Amino acid sequence: MPQVRIVAKNFMDMVAALPAMKLDQLYDSSFICEAVLRSLPPLAKKYVLQLLFIDAPVTAKSIEEWVLSDGISKHKVAIDRLLQLRVFSEVIDRKKEASYKLNPKFQSNMQRYLVHGGSLPREPMPSSVTVRLPTAEDLEAYALEQWECFLLQLISSAQAERPTNFSPSMMRVFQRGLLSARENEAPRLTENGFQFLLMETNAQLWYIIREYISTAEDRGVDPTDLISFLLELSFHKMGEAYNLNTLTDVQRSAIKDLADLGLVKLQQGRKESWFIPTKLATNLSVSLSDSSSRKQGFVVVETNFRTYAYSTSKLHCEILRLFARVEYQLPNLIVGAITKESLYNAFENGITAEQIVSFLQQNAHPRVAEKTPTVPENVTDQIRLWETDRNRVELIPSHLYEDFPSKEVFEAACDFARDVGGLLWEDSKKMQLIVRGDIHQHMRDFFRRQK
Amino acid sequence: MASLVPPPKLYTDDVSLIVIILDTNPFFWGTLSNTSALTFSFSKFLNHMIPFVNSLLLLNQLNHVVLIASGVASCGYIYDSATAVASDGGQKVPAVCSEILSRLEEFVAKDQRLGKGDLRTVAGSMSSLFSGALSLALCYIQRVFRSGMQHPQPRILCLQGSPDGPEQYVAVMNAIFSAQRSMVPIDSCVLGMQHSAFLQQASYITGGVYLKPQQLDGLFEYFTAVFATDLQSRTFLELPRPVGVDFRASCFCHKKTIDMGYVCSVCLSIFCKHHKKCSTCGSDFSHGHSELDRKRKHSEV
């Protein structure tokens, strides 16, 4: 995954950013404790486990003794994270020595888990009521289709076949930052928007969810409720049906939106209605960098710069169009060519060569994915070369100074510019000198002093 | 097309597959609970172990725990967190606990029936079938290795109480070397009175942790502090170091543990007495050195 600016880190950063009171309130639910614990770095998990049955505060020094000297940085990260999430609270005693104590609610929840075991957030409905449940494949297909439909609507509202029930205002919230809407002009994808499209599904989903949560307050919903519901949702079993009646009002309104994103599938029986979590929902609390939810790839790139995408999805076509010239489209195949022009277009839109290459590699068709390299080297090299082509000339705003009265003045000026770190070019014969634009003010002061 | 798989990809570092080998030897547990100094019974032991299994499952949703019991005459799978979730339709820990208990009960009863006719038990030897359990664990790990492109980091934890059975020496050593080859560390926790030479060697060779807890009452703390640590974290944590390893071997002829003995020059079998012929590979030692030397010279020409 290339580092892009808009990549949201993960769910837990958001949890950590909550105010202390809200956070403590979250720990009432054992699922959240569980999700928080699982999100911690391995070392932190171990500390929690080790302190789980110790009620008295443990001094920071004695915890530090568990670690070898070369693990001290990891240790600091772990402790910081634990404090940030308020799993540990710091106690400073009379001798000014810090010791740590587990959050009591968190501790008792986890103790209960170890002794009595975890439970499901809610009982799945018996199969006698829910007659036909979709199979795992159907459910995954549904989730992906729903998600693609949403993405298509997001990038160009006109192209979506089935409009989702997100209100236009909600949609605009999602589009904020991804599309730039100028007056009297069709909205264009911004640089971030392009990068967003090239991200993995999980990362995209997380971006949307984050926007969804952060705007919850405007809709009159407490973000804490949403976070706890989403975390709880990830503990449901994929493919099982759960009764809608077991949800609170807030959750019920949220679940409709989540169905639009493909996180859950809603179904209605004769009397009751229920929701079925999909893979997207159950993966939500998993650390997002984890690529355990890998999709099957579809792109084949040949050494002659042709790309064959075995896909029926409009979205894939749109994404390919970002950096390749689509030549023809068959029902299940999109044939395109990566050309200099198409790439320049992409670069102008702020997409980097690395992103394109990693997209091609991540979405490689299984047939070519077995080979190394998955994308021919001459193609990846050329993509990178074309990108560096654009960077051959670097523009620096600068000032030219000439007509110096004497060699001494010129040399003093050169030395001064060099000292400030702004000297770009000098010619002692013609007595000319070019200096960075931002140094100009210093230069002027310097000349004034010379007089 | 569906059968084709995406390129191999490992899980994140701390996803583990932990195979726990559980000693269910009734002779050992009987003597342990009878000695007045240590009142530690099998049920108390389970009180420590089941929360430990729970805690392993708690640490990561992809963690995978397998329990294998080694009895006097047999060994068998007790619990597998991967199949348990699929069949129960939910990861319910009360169910985990009751499943472990009922399967253990079944196992012990079966083991007792099998062991009845066995002369070994009559003779008073009370070692468990450790080699068999270790082989089962390695087979399971190999199956996981081959099942898919993503597999968790495996390790084996032996909770052993009964003394080593010298007659299992060859089988145990072979299992240890195959674990070393497939990079599976063997952790061992000795619950009995004496140190176990097998486990010391196993942990030493495979790079696992060997520990003999001082106080069995705090077993859970030992478990969480030492054996719950994933392989990646071990590189920067202070863990118990081996104090000394008992490298003694058993002879192949009488299965006795010996300090010094005779080694077959061809297949490296160990004997406590001089033999005319190696019982393992059939090499003849009766002709003495002179003839052997002549043969070698002959073949070199």
Side-chain angles (χ1 to χ4, degrees):
Chain A
M1 202 56 235
Q3 281 295 311
V4 280
R5 254 160 294 154
I6 57 162
V7 160
K9 271 163 285 165
N10 60 49
F11 218 129
M12 287 309 149
D13 286 344
M14 184 158 218
V15 175
L18 285 175
M21 212 187 70
K22 288 263 163 85
L23 195 56
D24 287 345
Q25 204 180 318
L26 272 182
Y27 287 143
D28 281 336
S29 152
S30 66
F31 302 106
I32 290 162
C33 298
E34 206 178 318
V36 166
L37 180 69
R38 284 178 175 172
S39 76
L40 292 171
L43 211 53
K45 284 183 193 177
K46 209 185 122 57
Y47 293 162
V48 172
L49 198 60
Q50 233 165 316
L51 297 185
L52 204 51
F53 286 93
I54 298 173
D55 293 324
V58 175
T59 57
K61 238 188 217 156
S62 58
I63 296 181
E64 220 173 282
E65 277 168 14
W66 296 342
V67 199
L68 294 172
S69 56
D70 50 345
I72 216 78
S73 62
K74 298 249 181 198
H75 167 81
K76 285 209 178 99
V77 170
I79 293 287
D80 279 353
R81 189 74 181 152
L82 287 167
L83 289 174
Q84 208 179 25
L85 282 164
R86 296 177 60 79
V87 174
F88 273 16
S89 50
E90 202 169 20
V91 187
I92 310 250
D93 63 7
R94 262 173 277 151
K95 286 183 213 150
K96 293 270 173 68
E97 274 181 44
S99 36
Y100 300 114
K101 198 173 174 327
L102 274 176
N103 183 316
K105 273 185 196 167
F106 186 91
Q107 190 172 16
S108 69
N109 267 327
M110 288 295 96
Q111 281 178 358
R112 204 173 321 124
Y113 182 99
L114 288 195
V115 179
H116 301 289
S119 52
L120 287 172
R122 48 178 63 82
E123 283 293 311
M125 289 168 77
S127 49
S128 55
V129 184
T130 60
V131 194
R132 270 185 307 124
L133 286 181
T135 61
E137 291 88 50
D138 285 349
L139 204 61
E140 198 175 336
Y142 163 84
L144 284 183
E145 186 196 336
Q146 203 71 8
W147 178 246
E148 275 185 11
C149 183
F150 169 76
L151 280 187
L152 257 184
Q153 199 193 356
L154 190 70
I155 54 172
S156 57
S157 324
Q159 287 204 37
E161 290 131 16
R162 286 177 291 121
T164 50
N165 75 8
F166 278 115
S167 64
S169 65
M170 198 64 220
M171 219 54 197
R172 267 199 293 282
V173 168
F174 291 144
Q175 286 167 344
R176 190 179 61 192
L178 301 178
L179 293 179
S180 70
R182 291 208 193 88
E183 294 279 324
N184 309 326
E185 211 178 291
R188 271 184 70 236
L189 272 177
T190 62
E191 200 175 314
N192 286 343
F194 282 107
Q195 294 181 353
F196 174 76
L197 282 184
L198 294 185
M199 290 198 294
E200 274 182 292
T201 312
N202 260 346
Q204 290 173 336
L205 179 66
W206 164 239
Y207 177 81
I208 293 296
I209 290 289
R210 198 183 56 159
E211 291 290 305
Y212 184 70
I213 293 174
S214 59
T215 55
E217 240 159 310
D218 306 339
R219 279 171 283 136
V221 179
D222 188 356
T224 325
D225 287 345
L226 263 184
I227 290 178
S228 77
F229 178 54
L230 281 167
L231 282 179
E232 204 179 290
L233 198 63
S234 64
F235 280 92
H236 286 70
K237 216 172 158 310
M238 188 187 94
E240 291 279 346
Y242 297 94
N243 202 325
L244 275 182
N245 289 340
T246 55
L247 300 178
T248 64
D249 288 339
V250 175
Q251 294 173 340
R252 217 169 303 162
S253 68
I255 204 125
K256 289 212 184 73
D257 295 337
L258 299 182
D260 275 335
L261 295 177
L263 262 70
V264 292
K265 186 176 169 70
L266 295 176
Q267 273 190 337
Q268 214 158 22
R270 217 170 294 159
K271 276 188 205 150
E272 324 220 7
S273 43
W274 55 83
F275 66 94
I276 308 164
T278 69
K279 207 172 175 182
L280 290 181
T282 47
N283 276 343
L284 206 56
S285 78
V286 181
S287 60
L288 289 162
S289 55
D290 213 18
S291 40
S292 53
S293 62
R294 196 155 274 271
K295 286 184 296 180
Q296 179 133 6
F298 57 95
V299 188
V300 178
V301 184
E302 289 190 336
T303 48
N304 59 3
F305 292 84
R306 277 182 165 259
T307 58
Y308 299 91
Y310 290 89
S311 167
T312 50
S313 145
K314 260 186 177 173
L315 184 72
H316 288 161
C317 184
E318 286 303 307
I319 293 177
L320 278 181
R321 226 184 268 281
L322 295 180
F323 57 85
R325 190 181 71 221
V326 173
E327 292 185 334
Y328 34 92
Q329 245 180 304
L330 303 178
N332 68 339
L333 177 69
I334 306 156
V335 180
I338 297 176
T339 64
K340 196 174 176 182
E341 288 73 36
S342 71
L343 278 177
Y344 271 28
N345 231 343
F347 296 146
E348 246 149 57
N349 282 322
I351 307 178
T352 65
E354 268 326 300
Q355 282 169 341
I356 295 173
V357 171
S358 82
F359 173 81
L360 291 176
Q361 279 165 348
Q362 277 171 10
N363 290 290
H365 192 277
R367 280 284 173 81
V368 288
E370 288 169 1
K371 295 179 189 160
T372 39
T374 41
V375 181
E377 263 171 349
N378 71 321
V379 177
T380 51
D381 286 350
Q382 190 63 66
I383 292 177
R384 292 195 185 107
L385 281 177
W386 275 329
E387 187 188 41
T388 48
D389 260 4
R390 286 165 43 86
N391 302 336
R392 227 170 5 195
V393 177
E394 196 183 351
L395 298 178
I396 303 170
S398 45
H399 286 263
L400 169 73
Y401 303 87
E402 52 187 358
D403 299 336
F404 283 93
S406 70
K407 198 94 179 162
E408 285 73 46
V409 179
F410 170 74
E411 252 145 38
C414 277
D415 288 343
F416 175 76
R418 208 173 284 125
D419 289 345
V420 190
L423 181 69
L424 290 173
W425 176 84
E426 59 172 316
D427 185 341
S428 47
K429 269 187 197 149
K430 287 186 191 159
M431 291 213 284
Q432 283 175 331
L433 149 84
I434 294 179
V435 174
R436 275 177 184 279
D438 42 345
I439 307 293
H440 181 58
Q441 196 56 46
H442 294 286
M443 291 301 281
R444 278 177 61 176
D445 295 344
F446 171 76
F447 289 127
R448 206 163 290 148
R449 261 180 280 136
Q450 291 287 305
K451 282 170 193 169
Chain B
M1 251 189 48
S3 65
L4 291 167
V5 287
K9 187 90 174 66
L10 276 170
Y11 280 132
T12 43
D13 296 321
D14 72 322
V15 180
S16 328
L17 159 65
I18 304 113
V19 185
I20 304 178
I21 296 177
L22 198 62
D23 193 357
T24 61
N25 193 329
F27 296 105
F28 162 69
W29 289 109
T31 48
L32 190 62
S33 50
N34 281 344
T35 36
S36 52
L38 287 160
T39 45
F40 194 77
S41 62
F42 191 57
S43 63
K44 268 193 188 164
F45 165 71
L46 286 182
N47 282 344
H48 290 279
M49 202 207 60
I50 290 173
F52 173 59
V53 172
N54 285 341
S55 65
L56 289 175
L57 294 174
L58 169 70
L59 285 179
N60 197 314
Q61 61 271 56
L62 296 170
N63 272 1
H64 185 164
V65 180
V66 178
L67 275 183
I68 295 176
S70 72
V72 179
S74 63
C75 45
Y77 293 110
I78 297 296
Y79 171 73
D80 183 341
S81 67
T83 55
V85 174
S87 62
D88 287 8
Q91 199 170 342
K92 288 196 151 186
V93 182
V96 169
C97 180
S98 64
E99 192 187 333
I100 293 178
L101 290 180
S102 69
R103 295 285 292 275
L104 260 180
E105 208 170 316
E106 258 172 58
F107 173 81
V108 171
K110 200 181 110 209
D111 190 47
Q112 196 184 6
R113 270 202 314 280
L114 284 172
K116 252 181 192 153
D118 199 340
L119 285 172
R120 253 180 352 111
T121 53
V122 179
S125 151
M126 31 176 250
S127 60
S128 305
L129 202 56
F130 175 59
S131 58
L134 198 55
S135 313
L136 268 185
L138 286 169
C139 289
Y140 192 96
I141 289 170
Q142 282 301 325
R143 197 170 77 202
V144 170
F145 273 158
R146 283 163 207 199
S147 65
M149 54 293 159
Q150 284 193 332
H151 58 78
Q153 289 261 15
R155 64 176 193 266
I156 298 176
L157 169 61
C158 304
L159 304 175
Q160 189 78 0
S162 45
D164 295 335
E167 72 281 357
Q168 296 175 37
Y169 176 75
V170 179
V172 169
M173 287 315 284
N174 283 338
I176 292 173
F177 288 129
S178 80
Q180 183 195 22
R181 247 184 83 92
S182 42
M183 316 258 275
V184 179
I186 300 177
D187 294 336
S188 31
C189 180
V190 176
L191 309 169
M193 307 294 159
Q194 296 111 17
H195 280 283
S196 156
F198 281 178
L199 290 179
Q200 279 179 344
Q201 294 192 37
S203 299
Y204 178 79
I205 292 170
T206 57
V209 179
Y210 175 89
L211 181 73
K212 188 174 176 303
Q214 301 296 310
Q215 281 179 314
L216 291 180
D217 292 329
L219 203 55
F220 180 78
E221 284 298 321
Y222 285 110
F223 282 160
T224 52
V226 179
F227 299 113
T229 322
D230 59 280
L231 297 184
Q232 196 218 359
S233 303
R234 286 184 189 197
T235 46
F236 30 78
L237 273 175
E238 197 84 60
L239 288 172
R241 295 206 193 94
V243 256
V245 182
D246 185 356
F247 281 116
R248 279 186 306 166
S250 302
C251 69
F252 286 25
C253 45
H254 306 90
K255 314 288 180 200
K256 277 189 297 194
T257 310
I258 50 170
D259 290 322
M260 227 184 272
Y262 297 86
V263 176
C264 169
S265 51
V266 179
C267 68
L268 303 178
S269 299
I270 304 160
F271 302 101
C272 55
K273 276 189 266 177
H274 183 268
H275 287 245
K276 284 188 175 164
K277 202 174 165 191
C278 172
S279 59
T280 314
C281 65
S283 310
D284 201 357
F285 304 135
S286 58
H287 301 290
H289 295 286
S290 53
E291 201 176 317
L292 243 164
D293 285 353
R294 214 181 322 130
K295 261 191 190 165
R296 196 179 292 149
K297 269 176 196 162
H298 187 73
S299 61
E300 272 170 12
V301 171

